[in-house]
Amino acid sequence: MTSTNENVSAFDEVNVFFDRAADRLGLGDGRREMLRTPWRELQVSIPVRMDDGTIKVFAGYRIQHNGARGPYKGGIRYHPEANQDEIRALSSLMTWKTALVEIPFGGAKGGVQCDPTQLSEGELNRLTRRFTANIEHLLGVSRDIPAPDLGTNSQTMAWMMDAYSQIHGHTPAIVTGKPVELGGSVGRDSATGRGVVYVTRETAVDLGMDPTGARVAIQGFGQVGSWTARIAGELGCMVTAVSDVQGGIHNDRGIDVEQLVKYQAEAGTVVGFPGTERITNEELIELDCEILVPAAIDRVIHQDNAPRVKAMVVVEAANHPVTPEADDILNDRGVKVIPDVLVNAGGVVVSYFEWTQNLYQHQWDMTRVNDELNKIMTRAYRSVADRVARDKITHRDASFQIAVERVAHVSRLRGFI
Ligand code: GLU
């Protein structure tokens, strides 16, 4: 999975969308600068004793973009290309995402530049503890609450919680996405994928598209992609292609997703799943299908391949999978793009449920989690769709406008400006 825009700042790209919203809202230069700029950025170095006895030093970041609406919230990613600019871009997306779905958080993101697939469990544990110790002074249950992201999972959150609790006493609400046995919420694992499916359902209604039998191609088969694939069946959709870092698979008559999950657990990849033909990640983007779901890394749809996208709708389950140039090309071609800040918000919404459950020491059941998630995602989709209809703008522009408006409004109420 490669993107062609590695030398272009991801933060600048996301701000193309922000600026468009700020223009339409008539925000002056000062206010715009205030809303665009991260409030706090911390870079740390993380020395880790490796299993072979050597010491390696990793770069880590926590960027708190905006806390006007509540404590900072956002994931921690472990990825070889995690860098300050990317984390900055992702932290700003969290600010707009939490505002759009109206949960009481600001936006943040963190990351460590490392390849988690090349580290042992012991190395990952030590890395996570040292990273937590180095950013601990920024965290707090009403200050900043991390969660999993690309390359991290519930185990990483358990280590973070433990490292924080060693200093502050037992503090489950300090991270979300924890194992259920340690105060995690049921339904958190599947939450982002479930939210993707709820938003797809609402989009199909709006477009007058019957989801039954609609062909869905999903790039990425990690937490987000695999749950999206599993839950898509509830709409009657047919998953015809999926991929992971090793490549993709395709069968136009549909893939048995539950069997594929079992296959992947053993083989470590989706590639080679019986009854499918092998395709590349690049081919998946250009596949003949109705719904294309990029659910892996950023900037996989760019100006070079956007003209060849054949789907009717692109549902952005990953963060920032479509560059601004590609976004314009898709819009001009009549391909609907449903943006990341709306589509993948289910994860942080159930993180919010987890945090509240921790604060009042209670546990919800799966039905309650999924029902409340459905309510919030549907409400957010409807507010975006209303704005699209009212102002004749794209779903992305409508989403950014609503979000920026809300953050600007509370900034005024709090008396920042
Ligand atoms: N990493 C996820 C995201 O990008 C979830 C963040 C959270 O739950 O705080 O939305």
Side-chain angles (χ1 to χ4, degrees):
M1 275 176 245
T2 52
S3 58
T4 58
N5 269 328
E6 271 134 18
N7 298 326
V8 179
S9 155
F11 189 52
D12 287 350
E13 287 196 342
V14 169
N15 282 328
V16 171
F17 304 135
F18 165 80
D19 279 330
R20 224 145 55 194
D23 284 346
R24 288 187 71 99
L25 295 169
L27 294 182
D29 286 349
R31 214 172 284 262
R32 194 183 285 241
E33 192 62 20
M34 178 188 80
L35 292 170
R36 183 197 286 130
T37 315
W39 285 14
R40 191 183 278 141
E41 302 195 1
L42 177 65
Q43 178 175 351
V44 295
S45 64
I46 312 162
V48 177
R49 171 82 61 193
M50 306 303 281
D51 290 346
D52 65 5
T54 59
I55 292 171
K56 266 202 184 146
V57 181
F58 297 89
Y61 308 91
R62 184 69 179 169
I63 300 187
Q64 299 175 328
H65 179 261
N66 189 296
R69 295 185 61 266
Y72 303 102
K73 188 84 192 79
I76 303 276
R77 68 169 47 183
Y78 288 178
H79 193 267
E81 275 144 40
N83 61 54
Q84 193 156 3
D85 175 72
E86 181 197 54
I87 303 293
R88 204 180 270 153
L90 295 167
S91 72
S92 74
L93 285 176
M94 289 308 300
T95 299
W96 314 130
K97 196 183 298 185
T98 52
L100 180 62
V101 293
E102 289 191 278
I103 55 173
F105 290 122
K109 201 80 173 196
V112 176
Q113 198 172 81
C114 68
D115 183 352
T117 64
Q118 299 305 310
L119 299 175
S120 71
E121 171 141 345
E123 289 165 345
L124 281 169
N125 186 345
R126 294 193 290 278
L127 171 86
T128 303
R129 283 171 187 285
R130 173 61 66 171
F131 177 54
T132 308
N134 287 358
I135 64 167
E136 166 273 322
H137 59 292
L138 296 188
L139 306 182
V141 295
S142 51
R143 290 182 185 278
D144 185 352
I145 305 115
D149 196 74
L150 207 66
T152 56
N153 53 30
S154 59
Q155 176 62 75
T156 324
M157 294 305 111
W159 291 327
M160 281 196 94
M161 183 195 91
D162 188 63
Y164 187 88
S165 295
Q166 282 185 314
I167 308 167
H168 298 273
H170 187 56
T171 319
I174 193 59
V175 288
T176 58
K178 300 176 289 293
V180 173
E181 306 87 311
L182 283 175
S185 179
V186 293
R188 177 62 185 81
D189 274 2
S190 53
T192 311
R194 187 161 283 285
V196 173
V197 174
Y198 291 152
V199 170
T200 306
R201 177 194 66 204
E202 296 302 310
T203 308
V205 172
D206 266 7
L207 299 182
M209 175 189 195
D210 182 2
T212 316
R215 292 167 301 170
V216 185
I218 304 174
Q219 188 188 60
F221 207 68
Q223 172 124 313
V224 179
S226 66
W227 278 108
T228 301
R230 293 172 82 166
I231 302 169
E234 290 179 14
L235 298 184
C237 296
M238 190 168 72
V239 176
T240 52
V242 302
S243 64
D244 59 31
V245 276
Q246 297 188 37
I249 55 171
H250 174 228
N251 181 343
D252 219 40
R253 290 184 307 284
I255 293 170
D256 182 336
V257 176
E258 290 308 321
Q259 287 305 322
L260 176 62
V261 169
K262 287 190 197 129
Y263 174 86
Q264 186 218 26
E266 281 189 10
T269 175
V270 297
V271 174
F273 183 60
T276 59
E277 54 160 347
R278 189 170 179 167
I279 56 169
T280 64
N281 267 289
E282 290 72 25
E283 285 164 345
L284 184 140
I285 296 290
E286 300 174 20
L287 216 58
D288 199 5
C289 63
E290 280 70 49
I291 302 169
L292 174 62
V293 186
I297 54 165
D298 63 345
R299 303 193 268 187
V300 291
I301 304 179
H302 39 74
Q303 56 191 354
D304 301 333
N305 61 5
R308 293 193 297 273
V309 167
K310 297 187 189 64
M312 287 170 67
V313 193
V314 175
V315 178
E316 293 187 340
N319 286 313
H320 192 39
V322 175
T323 66
E325 295 82 10
D327 199 46
D328 288 342
I329 295 170
L330 294 172
N331 287 324
D332 289 347
R333 295 184 51 228
V335 179
K336 288 269 175 272
V337 182
I338 313 298
D340 46 9
V341 286
L342 174 63
V343 171
N344 70 31
V348 73
V349 168
V350 176
S351 276
Y352 165 51
F353 300 160
E354 179 174 332
W355 180 73
T356 53
Q357 290 170 70
N358 293 154
L359 293 185
Y360 68 101
Q361 300 183 29
H362 188 65
Q363 278 222 314
W364 298 5
D365 63 19
M366 188 72 96
T367 310
R368 179 166 180 194
V369 168
N370 290 344
D371 285 353
E372 300 264 344
L373 174 64
N374 192 6
K375 246 187 260 169
I376 291 186
M377 297 304 289
T378 308
R379 179 185 69 193
Y381 180 87
R382 286 287 136 216
S383 66
V384 171
D386 289 349
R387 186 67 65 106
V388 168
R390 190 192 83 183
D391 293 357
K392 310 270 175 293
I393 51 178
T394 64
H395 286 74
R396 190 187 312 277
D397 285 344
S399 301
F400 270 78
Q401 250 180 63
I402 294 170
V404 173
E405 208 167 59
R406 287 191 181 139
V407 181
H409 178 65
V410 295
S411 306
R412 231 173 270 130
L413 283 178
R414 291 178 72 138
F416 295 163
I417 34 148

